Amino acid sequence: TYFTHPFIARDSVTHKLRSFNHLSMTSVVFEGFDFRLNSVDDVTVSICEGEVMQNRQGPPTVYPIPSTLPENDLILEREDEDGSELYHLEDRSPAVLPHMNIATDIFHRPIGPPVVCPGPPTLPELDTEPEIEDDEQIAALSKSSAAAIRLNVHFKNNTTSNVDLIWKDYHGDEVVIRQDIKPGDTHGECTYFTHPFIARDSMTHKLRSFNHLSVTSVVFEAFDFRLNSVDDVTVSICEGEV
């Protein structure tokens, strides 16, 4: 429903008015503003037999419920003890709701056949499978960027053949730092965060992987390997491609 659209409730047999209650508010007329709701609320309002309306300030005031209501042009009118108007709901004759273009009765119930609301729009299916890049593509896309945080890394060759340690410079070009690191040997390098390295077999030039703790990649870069500036770590060069 909408703000400024009031509702009443009647006993189906006796037609006696019932009350609405939500939190501290009770009234024979329900309307969103008076019940202190807001547009994001999805609330449950109780229909009860009480006839107490809780004022915004002070103790609850008991109002008598009229046995009959005037028709159409005046649904409910009542005043507080000081003469201030509490409810004055007029112009409830049958009308057309402009926002729905539907004829309604005095209780804003649609007149005529039910309205079929359109369903949600059909969204195009998204391609959830990312594009798979091979190791050479991953290595080619990496390059260094300016950084000031240094760390010491010891690269240990845990493969069965000699490897070349290669730095990817600021243009993404390969710069050989050390050739023919023998199996079991270690090369120490003082490097920077955001400076990537790759390793290749000295004979076949096939990419090798780096491993440290739970991280394995064909490109070594300190941030990706979850290191920090005080680390003096040993990184394994291995044949795995995980």
Side-chain angles (χ1 to χ4, degrees), residues 150-155 177 187-192 195 197:
R150 304 175 60 177
L151 76 161
N152 293 317
V153 183
H154 304 278
F155 296 97
I177 299 297
H187 170 75
E189 186 73 24
C190 180
T191 184
Y192 294 85
H195 283 205
F197 290 82

Side-chain angles (χ1 to χ4, degrees), residues 96-113:
V96 174
L97 296 183
H99 57 276
M100 297 178 64
N101 198 26
I102 300 173
T104 65
D105 62 14
I106 64 171
F107 298 108
H108 289 300
R109 295 174 299 196
I111 298 174

Side-chain angles (χ1 to χ4, degrees), residues 78-204:
R78 58 176 49 174
E79 296 181 349
D80 204 348
E81 295 176 353
D82 60 1
S84 60
E85 185 179 89
L86 292 180
Y87 288 99
H88 187 78
L89 309 178
E90 296 183 347
D91 193 17
R92 292 295 300 278
S93 56
V96 174
L97 296 183
H99 57 276
M100 297 178 64
N101 198 26
I102 300 173
T104 65
D105 62 14
I106 64 171
F107 298 108
H108 289 300
R109 295 174 299 196
I111 298 174
V115 178
V116 178
C117 298
T122 302
L123 300 177
E125 293 186 3
L126 300 178
D127 184 8
T128 56
E129 295 185 1
E131 182 180 353
I132 299 176
E133 298 176 334
D134 61 25
D135 292 344
E136 289 292 347
Q137 287 177 309
I138 296 173
L141 291 174
S142 60
K143 64 180 180 179
S144 293
S145 58
I149 306 176
R150 304 175 60 177
L151 76 161
N152 293 317
V153 183
H154 304 278
F155 296 97
K156 183 176 182 180
N157 182 8
N158 285 327
T159 71
T160 57
S161 58
N162 293 359
V163 297
D164 298 339
L165 182 65
I166 301 168
W167 171 57
K168 297 297 296 293
D169 69 10
Y170 299 100
H171 303 287
D173 297 330
E174 298 185 6
V175 179
V176 177
I177 299 297
R178 168 87 181 268
Q179 289 182 316
D180 293 321
I181 302 175
K182 296 180 181 180
D185 284 357
T186 299
H187 170 75
E189 186 73 24
C190 180
T191 184
Y192 294 85
F193 284 79
T194 74
H195 283 205
F197 290 82
I198 61 175
R200 293 187 181 275
D201 187 289
S202 299
M203 293 294 294
T204 66

Side-chain angles (χ1 to χ4, degrees), residues 17 27-28 51 53 62-66 76-80 83-88:
L17 279 170
S27 174
V28 293
E51 300 176 3
M53 177 176 177
V62 179
Y63 294 94
I65 297 179
L76 181 61
E77 180 179 3
R78 58 176 49 174
E79 296 181 349
D80 204 348
S84 60
E85 185 179 89
L86 292 180
Y87 288 99
H88 187 78

Side-chain angles (χ1 to χ4, degrees), residues 7 14 16 26 29 31 34 53 87 97 168 216 235:
F7 291 85
T14 65
K16 182 179 179 181
T26 303
V29 176
E31 190 278 319
D34 291 332
M53 177 176 177
Y87 288 99
L97 296 183
K168 297 297 296 293
T216 303
V235 176

Side-chain angles (χ1 to χ4, degrees), residues 4-34:
T4 74
H5 284 204
F7 291 85
I8 61 174
R10 291 185 178 275
D11 187 289
S12 300
V13 177
T14 65
H15 303 291
K16 182 179 179 181
L17 279 170
R18 299 306 184 192
S19 299
F20 298 92
N21 174 264
H22 178 66
L23 300 179
S24 63
M25 294 295 299
T26 303
S27 174
V28 293
V29 176
F30 170 81
E31 190 278 319
F33 280 122
D34 291 332

